[in-house]
Amino acid sequence: MTKPQPDSLTIRQPDDWHLHLRDGAMLAAVAPETARHFGRAIIMPNLVPPVVTGAEAASYRERIRAALPPGSAFEPLMTLYLTEGTDPADVAAAHTAGIATAVKLYPAGATTNSASGVRDIEAVRPVLERMAEIGMPLCVHGEVTDPSVDIFDREAVFIDKVLKPLRKKVPDLKVVMEHITTQTAVDYVRDQKKNLAATITTHHLVINRNAILAGGIRPHYYCLPVAKRESHRLALVEAAVSGDPRFFLGTDSAPHTDPMKLQPCGCAGIFSAPVTLSCLAEVFGAALRLDKLEAFVSLNGPRFYGLPPNEARVTLRRGAPLSLPERIETGEGPVTLFDPGFPLHWHVETEAP
Ligand code: NCD
Ligand code: ZN
């Protein structure tokens, strides 16, 4: 017997545990889009130049706050971009002062603006050990960058070659495997007893690689890690709707202007913040698991990060299909919204302000 799915759902306000807000005119345009629905977000530090020190994170946080609508209670949770020159004392001080929530590991060259990332994990071992001592999580872009490894295999190879050895060396380090895309990653996370969780994006729950490549090339579906085959998408959906506290939402909403996406060598990144909650309600509803949506978007993340869930509530109500713009205008140019390829019926109602 299948349970009838409700037409409305009131849940604690969600958080986004992986978000790109950029800077300047782009920040001004996209920060309100996230603040409209979400209470907090883990802010990625891959600006140019990257946000490396506590002082840089503090000033970036001020720029984010200045970009929020008046009265917004949205809280940016900052991350520091790990480099081989990162000072363990600066990281610990930023954590203690409440400036930095986590540290971000980009393997050098893995994705957009990752050139100053880590080449030799041994070089950052003192930072990781300090983080383990103070309980500060490491957010990991889990893909190897070795050009000889096929792009569809880079996550699985990263787990074997980098993540497993790293977690053996620093077992007390809390690690978030970000934007997982494979059954392999789901299985690995499920096998671990502690100190490991994973975020899953909106788009990886909705599209497989056919969306990018079948019947024409569609740059708006290109992101990193790249979407995999359908069996992997199904494994991600199963993990997300299971209620397992080790899986939670990180949208990886990553705006690039259309001219930057639509060119011979286009940027990786999908802008999903405005449509995420409506998309997820469709995904969880189709799986007959709307009762698990709150765990995925509002409860599991804060629990792993050791933070209380938000007190505010949002209500999702099923109604007529949303009419959304295809793109938003920003001071840097138009940015196309993630199109899930099906109508979105779920309207999001938030408490004032
Ligand atoms: C991100 C970006 O544009 O900053 N792009 C993406 O495809 N996800 C970088 C990242 O998080 O990998
Ligand atoms: Zn990202």
Side-chain angles (χ1 to χ4, degrees), residues 18-20 44 46 104 106 141 178-179 224 252-254:
H18 180 129
L19 175 67
H20 298 268
M44 287 297 118
N46 63 331
K104 172 74 189 235
Y106 285 105
H141 183 109
E178 299 191 285
H179 42 52
L224 288 170
D252 197 11
S253 182

Side-chain angles (χ1 to χ4, degrees), residues 175-177 180 186-200 239 242-249 295-296 300-301 303-304:
V175 174
V176 184
M177 254 200 102
I180 59 168
V186 169
D187 292 345
Y188 177 63
V189 172
R190 282 206 178 114
D191 275 354
Q192 307 301 302
K193 294 207 169 38
K194 57 173 198 164
N195 291 338
L196 184 66
T199 58
I200 306 178
S242 69
D244 184 326
R246 292 168 293 189
F247 299 101
F248 44 87
L249 174 66
F296 183 67
N300 297 346
R303 180 173 143 156
F304 186 80

Side-chain angles (χ1 to χ4, degrees), residues 149-199:
V149 178
D150 188 275
I151 191 155
F152 290 103
D153 299 334
R154 288 183 182 186
E155 183 172 283
V157 174
F158 182 89
I159 293 172
D160 274 339
K161 295 269 164 58
V162 184
L163 195 54
K164 286 181 182 171
L166 170 68
R167 298 193 64 246
K168 269 211 181 84
K169 285 180 200 157
V170 197
D172 293 332
L173 181 65
K174 287 173 89 161
V175 174
V176 184
M177 254 200 102
E178 299 191 285
H179 42 52
I180 59 168
T181 58
T182 58
Q183 171 94 57
T184 318
V186 169
D187 292 345
Y188 177 63
V189 172
R190 282 206 178 114
D191 275 354
Q192 307 301 302
K193 294 207 169 38
K194 57 173 198 164
N195 291 338
L196 184 66
T199 58

Side-chain angles (χ1 to χ4, degrees), residues 18 20 22 44 46 104 106 110-114 141 143 178-179 201 203-204 222-226 251-256 261 267-270:
H18 180 129
H20 298 268
R22 316 300 191 203
M44 287 297 118
N46 63 331
K104 172 74 189 235
Y106 285 105
T111 185
T112 313
N113 306 337
S114 62
H141 183 109
E143 287 190 293
E178 299 191 285
H179 42 52
T201 74
H203 46 279
H204 289 116
Y222 173 60
C223 66
L224 288 170
V226 69
T251 64
D252 197 11
S253 182
H256 292 280
K261 295 281 300 172
C267 291
I270 293 177

